[in-house]
Amino acid sequence: MDHQQFLDVIEREAAALVAAARTAGPTAAVPATPEWTMAKLVKHTGTTHRWVLGIATTRAFVSPADLDLALPAGDDDYADWFAAGAADLVETLRGIDADADMWSWGPDQHARFWSRRMAHETTVHRWDAESAAGGSGPIETALAIDGIDERLVNLTASLNFRPDDLAALVGDGESVHLHVTDGDGEWVLRFEPDGLAITREHAKGDVAVRGSAQDLLLYATGRRGLEGLEVFGDASVLESRDAIRKF
């Protein structure tokens, strides 16, 4: 998928998130993220959109503390507030070339980092929101495969925000093979003394986990456990590194 296609995903998934928020109401509990109400979920995702909008506007780092979020007066207004912020983000990023230099917290310092990152951020939180509104719709296979890849590519950089969890990336060469069963997606994670190494290949790992693209993405982002996935080998390699599944 390219920059503009990811922006299409943000539009689509944001609209679905808004619909779920309106159906469930702001006080609804969110089963996928049990520490949040719907209002907190929508506020989190909308705040993230506005932070990225600030970055896209300046092409530089913007402190979240400096944002004028223009928060709504009441929880009932969060869905409209979120929809407006998502629309502004998409409109701004559509006017920026994918290869334009732009600050990011990941290894890719271009505008395309943020269209991809926000597509997956919005998709997973749409799934969260729908879990409180009668059941979550599917995440399309190609998008889920890219979501796993995006998660893994940025995993080490993401843990810089949580330095206490960086130890989960260190090991003595233990390996994990992730294998999508409904599409073309395979990765091998190796936990080396100097950190995590990732390759896209079919290779034997100390533990292998097989499942649909959606189920593996939900596992990688902490929305589900290993139950129902095919697991071969030493599952303790994964269980001892649960910190990498925080999202």
Side-chain angles (χ1 to χ4, degrees):
M1 299 181 74
D2 63 21
H3 178 64
Q4 296 296 334
Q5 290 172 318
F6 282 129
L7 296 177
D8 292 342
V9 170
I10 297 171
E11 281 190 320
R12 181 190 73 215
E13 298 293 324
L17 192 158
V18 167
R22 288 175 175 154
T23 297
T27 62
V30 181
T33 53
E35 70 278 14
W36 284 349
T37 62
M38 181 67 78
K40 289 183 177 178
L41 170 64
V42 174
K43 179 182 178 182
H44 164 81
T45 314
T47 297
T48 303
H49 284 175
R50 282 165 168 77
W51 178 54
V52 176
L53 175 61
I55 293 167
T57 301
T58 63
R59 313 291 177 95
F61 173 75
V62 173
S63 172
D66 294 336
L67 293 174
D68 180 6
L69 295 174
L71 292 172
D75 287 354
D76 288 338
D77 298 319
Y78 266 109
D80 289 341
W81 172 85
F82 170 84
D88 287 346
L89 174 63
V90 169
E91 181 181 8
T92 299
L93 285 174
R94 281 207 191 279
I96 301 173
D97 188 88
D99 296 328
D101 291 339
M102 187 175 294
W103 179 88
S104 82
W105 51 259
D108 186 357
Q109 299 283 305
H110 299 91
R112 60 177 177 258
F113 172 91
W114 288 114
S115 56
R116 189 185 192 200
R117 175 83 288 279
M118 288 302 97
H120 295 301
E121 174 87 2
T122 309
T123 297
V124 170
H125 287 316
R126 180 273 296 171
W127 192 93
D128 293 341
E130 289 182 343
S131 75
S136 299
I139 300 172
E140 63 182 52
T141 297
L143 183 63
I145 290 172
D146 189 77
I148 298 165
D149 192 73
E150 191 265 349
R151 173 76 172 155
L152 296 177
V153 166
N154 293 318
L155 184 56
T156 298
S158 74
L159 290 189
N160 288 329
F161 296 102
R162 310 196 317 262
D164 290 347
D165 291 332
L166 281 169
L169 301 181
V170 177
D172 294 314
E174 300 92 335
S175 58
V176 175
H177 177 210
L178 301 178
H179 188 165
V180 170
T181 56
D182 57 345
D184 184 14
E186 294 190 70
W187 303 264
V188 175
L189 289 66
R190 294 180 176 86
F191 300 94
E192 305 287 359
D194 57 352
L196 177 65
I198 298 170
T199 54
R200 298 176 181 89
E201 62 175 323
H202 179 79
K204 183 176 175 59
D206 294 316
V207 59
V209 183
R210 287 168 43 93
S212 71
Q214 173 171 306
D215 284 345
L216 285 181
L217 175 64
L218 295 175
Y219 172 75
T221 55
R223 268 63 186 173
R224 59 160 299 155
L226 290 170
E227 302 80 9
L229 296 169
E230 296 180 88
V231 181
F232 307 93
D234 184 4
S236 69
V237 174
L238 280 169
E239 292 164 354
S240 63
R241 294 177 166 83
D242 201 56
I244 68 176
R245 299 174 57 239
K246 294 179 184 178
F247 180 83

